[in-house]
Amino acid sequence: MAGYRIAVFVGSLRKESINRQLARALEKLAGDRASFEYVQIGDLPLYNQDHDGNYPAEGKRLKEQVRQADAVLFVTPEYNRSVPGVLKNAIDLGSRPYGDSAFAGKPAAVAGASIGAIGSALAQQHLRNILSYLDIKVLPQPEVFVHFKEGLVDAEGNVQNEGTRKFLQDFTDRFLSWIESQR
Ligand code: FNR
């Protein structure tokens, strides 16, 4: 597959996740300019510093996937006004042991959806704070706060609302340019 390799973290394990649907829509908008590789985060052990010397295989797998990627994309819901624990745990595992983070210097972008009007904005603000500490180069704009309504993305990943599709196309284009600019 040609194009940038993008490690995609979806912050929801739910099968019908609207954030997974959003990620699929972005994948479709990127077309053959990128290959989206979805990082498995549901089977990760809880991060435990006691295991730094004998790192869990699932943590090593995640770090390798991030290292092989040209960039990272986070698409996350908001849980109780913050980042879902499952996503934070994945980031913690990818960032350790100290001095051996897989994330440092990687270009990245953040997006998210909610059934509520604020479209996971607070979770994304918290996430940007975490990523900044990890020295990840996050695309500053546009912010993507999708107020998700039933049927916004069809089964093939097409965005049904024209205005939203154009906005997400612009976000995707700018993310791909951002990756190029950070190389
Ligand atoms: C939510 N939801 C939610 N929505 C929101 O806008 N702000 C919030 O703080 C929360 N908090 C929250 C906590 C928990 C534990 C759950 C399960 C849900 C609603 C959330 O946006 C909605 O369930 C989305 O559909 C979750 O995204 P996925 O799983 O569909 O990608």
Side-chain angles (χ1 to χ4, degrees):
M1 174 87 198
Y4 300 111
R5 292 179 69 173
I6 302 182
V8 183
F9 287 77
V10 175
S12 169
L13 304 181
R14 204 166 73 85
K15 215 160 60 177
E16 302 298 328
S17 163
I18 59 175
N19 284 279
R20 189 167 301 277
Q21 292 180 54
L22 175 58
R24 297 272 184 221
L26 297 173
E27 179 176 5
K28 186 124 198 192
L29 292 168
D32 62 7
R33 295 173 295 165
S35 94
F36 278 35
E37 298 167 7
Y38 290 83
V39 179
Q40 200 177 330
I41 64 172
D43 68 340
L44 299 174
L46 289 177
Y47 175 76
N48 181 340
Q49 197 174 357
D50 287 342
H51 301 155
D52 272 6
N54 181 24
Y55 219 62
E58 298 87 347
K60 285 188 186 164
R61 179 197 69 206
L62 179 150
K63 289 174 72 173
E64 190 52 28
Q65 202 171 353
V66 171
R67 287 204 164 107
Q68 294 295 322
D70 297 305
V72 187
L73 173 65
F74 297 90
V75 186
T76 188
E78 179 172 298
Y79 277 7
N80 300 319
R81 296 284 180 257
S82 191
V83 177
V86 69
L87 177 58
K88 180 61 164 57
N89 183 56
I91 295 171
D92 290 344
L93 271 162
S95 70
R96 288 276 154 165
Y98 181 76
D100 191 39
S101 169
F103 293 116
K106 287 280 174 194
V110 171
S114 165
I115 51 174
I118 61 167
S120 91
L122 280 163
Q124 291 186 51
Q125 283 304 316
H126 287 185
L127 179 58
R128 283 175 182 269
N129 202 38
I130 294 162
L131 301 181
S132 156
Y133 175 69
L134 293 176
D135 197 24
I136 304 183
K137 313 297 183 203
V138 183
L139 175 72
Q141 288 285 350
E143 296 171 301
V144 178
F145 307 144
V146 176
H147 181 190
F148 201 98
K149 303 223 171 84
E150 179 81 30
L152 178 66
V153 178
D154 72 13
E156 283 75 49
N158 300 302
V159 181
Q160 297 301 308
N161 178 289
E162 184 60 8
T164 305
R165 192 191 63 72
K166 281 191 176 141
F167 174 75
L168 293 176
Q169 183 71 70
D170 176 59
F171 165 74
T172 305
D173 295 347
R174 285 169 71 169
F175 179 34
L176 296 176
S177 300
W178 177 250
I179 298 169
E180 188 60 34
S181 74
Q182 299 298 310
R183 280 153 87 84

Short mmCIF file of all heavy atoms in Angstrom, two decimals, residues 12-14 16-20 77-82 113-116 118-120, ligand 1:
data_model
loop_
_atom_site.label_atom_id
_atom_site.label_comp_id
_atom_site.label_asym_id
_atom_site.label_seq_id
_atom_site.Cartn_x
_atom_site.Cartn_y
_atom_site.Cartn_z
N SER A 12 -12.36 3.86 21.74
CA SER A 12 -13.57 3.14 22.13
C SER A 12 -13.45 1.70 21.68
O SER A 12 -12.97 1.44 20.56
CB SER A 12 -14.80 3.76 21.47
OG SER A 12 -15.93 2.92 21.65
N LEU A 13 -13.89 0.78 22.51
CA LEU A 13 -13.85 -0.64 22.15
C LEU A 13 -15.18 -1.12 21.58
O LEU A 13 -15.30 -2.26 21.14
CB LEU A 13 -13.51 -1.48 23.40
CG LEU A 13 -12.22 -1.12 24.13
CD1 LEU A 13 -12.02 -2.04 25.33
CD2 LEU A 13 -11.02 -1.18 23.20
N ARG A 14 -16.17 -0.26 21.59
CA ARG A 14 -17.52 -0.62 21.19
C ARG A 14 -17.58 -0.95 19.70
O ARG A 14 -17.05 -0.21 18.87
CB ARG A 14 -18.42 0.59 21.48
CG ARG A 14 -19.86 0.32 21.69
CD ARG A 14 -20.48 1.56 22.31
NE ARG A 14 -20.61 2.65 21.36
CZ ARG A 14 -21.64 2.80 20.52
NH1 ARG A 14 -22.61 1.92 20.52
NH2 ARG A 14 -21.69 3.84 19.71
N GLU A 16 -20.00 -0.80 17.53
CA GLU A 16 -20.68 0.19 16.69
C GLU A 16 -20.17 1.61 16.95
O GLU A 16 -20.85 2.60 16.65
CB GLU A 16 -22.19 0.16 16.95
CG GLU A 16 -22.86 -1.19 16.71
CD GLU A 16 -22.75 -1.65 15.27
OE1 GLU A 16 -22.74 -0.79 14.37
OE2 GLU A 16 -22.63 -2.86 15.05
N SER A 17 -18.98 1.71 17.51
CA SER A 17 -18.42 3.01 17.91
C SER A 17 -18.54 4.08 16.82
O SER A 17 -18.10 3.88 15.68
CB SER A 17 -16.94 2.80 18.27
OG SER A 17 -16.26 4.05 18.28
N ILE A 18 -19.08 5.22 17.20
CA ILE A 18 -19.16 6.33 16.24
C ILE A 18 -17.76 6.88 15.95
O ILE A 18 -17.51 7.44 14.88
CB ILE A 18 -20.12 7.45 16.72
CG1 ILE A 18 -19.68 8.03 18.07
CG2 ILE A 18 -21.55 6.94 16.77
CD1 ILE A 18 -20.52 9.22 18.54
N ASN A 19 -16.84 6.73 16.90
CA ASN A 19 -15.47 7.19 16.66
C ASN A 19 -14.74 6.28 15.69
O ASN A 19 -13.93 6.75 14.88
CB ASN A 19 -14.74 7.34 18.00
CG ASN A 19 -15.20 8.59 18.71
OD1 ASN A 19 -14.75 9.69 18.41
ND2 ASN A 19 -16.19 8.44 19.60
N ARG A 20 -15.05 4.98 15.75
CA ARG A 20 -14.49 4.07 14.74
C ARG A 20 -15.07 4.41 13.37
O ARG A 20 -14.36 4.42 12.36
CB ARG A 20 -14.79 2.62 15.12
CG ARG A 20 -14.08 1.58 14.26
CD ARG A 20 -14.17 0.20 14.90
NE ARG A 20 -13.58 0.18 16.24
CZ ARG A 20 -12.28 0.04 16.48
NH1 ARG A 20 -11.44 -0.11 15.48
NH2 ARG A 20 -11.82 0.05 17.72
N PRO A 77 -13.73 9.22 21.79
CA PRO A 77 -14.90 9.77 22.48
C PRO A 77 -14.46 10.48 23.75
O PRO A 77 -13.27 10.45 24.11
CB PRO A 77 -15.73 8.53 22.83
CG PRO A 77 -14.79 7.39 22.87
CD PRO A 77 -13.61 7.77 21.99
N GLU A 78 -15.41 11.10 24.38
CA GLU A 78 -15.17 11.72 25.69
C GLU A 78 -15.90 10.88 26.73
O GLU A 78 -17.08 10.59 26.57
CB GLU A 78 -15.75 13.13 25.66
CG GLU A 78 -15.61 13.90 26.95
CD GLU A 78 -16.04 15.37 26.72
OE1 GLU A 78 -15.40 16.05 25.90
OE2 GLU A 78 -17.03 15.78 27.35
N TYR A 79 -15.18 10.47 27.77
CA TYR A 79 -15.80 9.76 28.89
C TYR A 79 -15.68 10.65 30.13
O TYR A 79 -14.57 10.96 30.57
CB TYR A 79 -15.07 8.44 29.16
CG TYR A 79 -15.49 7.26 28.29
CD1 TYR A 79 -16.37 7.40 27.22
CD2 TYR A 79 -15.01 5.98 28.57
CE1 TYR A 79 -16.73 6.31 26.45
CE2 TYR A 79 -15.38 4.89 27.81
CZ TYR A 79 -16.24 5.05 26.75
OH TYR A 79 -16.60 3.97 25.98
N ASN A 80 -16.81 11.03 30.66
CA ASN A 80 -16.82 11.84 31.88
C ASN A 80 -15.88 13.03 31.79
O ASN A 80 -15.04 13.27 32.64
CB ASN A 80 -16.51 10.94 33.09
CG ASN A 80 -17.55 9.83 33.22
OD1 ASN A 80 -18.73 10.07 33.02
ND2 ASN A 80 -17.11 8.61 33.52
N ARG A 81 -16.01 13.71 30.64
CA ARG A 81 -15.28 14.95 30.38
C ARG A 81 -13.76 14.77 30.22
O ARG A 81 -12.99 15.71 30.40
CB ARG A 81 -15.55 16.00 31.47
CG ARG A 81 -17.01 16.45 31.52
CD ARG A 81 -17.30 17.41 30.35
NE ARG A 81 -18.67 17.88 30.34
CZ ARG A 81 -19.63 17.43 29.52
NH1 ARG A 81 -19.37 16.47 28.66
NH2 ARG A 81 -20.83 17.92 29.55
N SER A 82 -13.34 13.53 29.88
CA SER A 82 -11.91 13.31 29.67
C SER A 82 -11.67 12.16 28.69
O SER A 82 -12.60 11.67 28.04
CB SER A 82 -11.21 13.07 31.01
OG SER A 82 -9.81 13.11 30.84
N ALA A 113 -15.71 12.28 18.13
CA ALA A 113 -17.15 12.46 17.94
C ALA A 113 -17.88 12.14 19.23
O ALA A 113 -17.42 11.36 20.05
CB ALA A 113 -17.65 11.53 16.84
N SER A 114 -19.03 12.79 19.35
CA SER A 114 -19.90 12.53 20.50
C SER A 114 -21.34 12.63 20.03
O SER A 114 -21.63 13.31 19.04
CB SER A 114 -19.61 13.57 21.59
OG SER A 114 -20.64 13.55 22.55
N ILE A 115 -22.22 11.96 20.77
CA ILE A 115 -23.64 12.13 20.47
C ILE A 115 -24.13 13.45 21.04
O ILE A 115 -25.20 13.92 20.70
CB ILE A 115 -24.47 10.95 21.03
CG1 ILE A 115 -24.12 10.72 22.51
CG2 ILE A 115 -24.24 9.70 20.22
CD1 ILE A 115 -25.00 9.68 23.19
N GLY A 116 -23.31 14.05 21.91
CA GLY A 116 -23.64 15.36 22.47
C GLY A 116 -23.06 16.48 21.60
O GLY A 116 -22.24 16.23 20.71
N ILE A 118 -20.90 18.86 22.11
CA ILE A 118 -19.52 19.36 22.18
C ILE A 118 -18.51 18.43 21.50
O ILE A 118 -17.32 18.74 21.46
CB ILE A 118 -19.08 19.67 23.62
CG1 ILE A 118 -19.11 18.42 24.49
CG2 ILE A 118 -19.91 20.79 24.21
CD1 ILE A 118 -18.40 18.61 25.81
N GLY A 119 -18.99 17.30 20.95
CA GLY A 119 -18.15 16.49 20.08
C GLY A 119 -16.82 16.05 20.66
O GLY A 119 -15.82 16.01 19.96
N SER A 120 -16.78 15.73 21.93
CA SER A 120 -15.58 15.23 22.64
C SER A 120 -14.48 16.29 22.79
O SER A 120 -13.31 15.96 22.96
CB SER A 120 -15.05 13.92 22.03
OG SER A 120 -14.09 14.11 21.03
C1 FNR B 1 -20.14 9.02 27.74
N1 FNR B 1 -20.57 9.98 26.83
C2 FNR B 1 -20.14 11.29 26.96
N2 FNR B 1 -20.37 12.22 25.97
C3 FNR B 1 -19.91 13.47 26.07
O1 FNR B 1 -20.09 14.29 25.18
N3 FNR B 1 -19.20 13.86 27.20
C4 FNR B 1 -18.95 13.01 28.24
O2 FNR B 1 -18.31 13.37 29.20
C5 FNR B 1 -19.43 11.67 28.12
N4 FNR B 1 -19.19 10.76 29.11
C6 FNR B 1 -19.45 9.43 28.90
C7 FNR B 1 -18.98 8.49 29.81
C8 FNR B 1 -19.15 7.13 29.56
C9 FNR B 1 -18.58 6.11 30.52
C10 FNR B 1 -19.84 6.71 28.40
C11 FNR B 1 -20.02 5.23 28.10
C12 FNR B 1 -20.32 7.63 27.52
C13 FNR B 1 -21.38 9.59 25.66
C14 FNR B 1 -20.50 9.22 24.50
O3 FNR B 1 -20.18 10.38 23.77
C15 FNR B 1 -21.23 8.23 23.59
O4 FNR B 1 -21.51 7.06 24.33
C16 FNR B 1 -20.42 7.89 22.36
O5 FNR B 1 -21.21 7.10 21.50
C17 FNR B 1 -19.15 7.12 22.74
O6 FNR B 1 -18.34 6.97 21.63
P1 FNR B 1 -18.27 5.60 20.79
O7 FNR B 1 -18.08 4.47 21.76
O8 FNR B 1 -19.59 5.46 20.07
O9 FNR B 1 -17.13 5.82 19.87
#
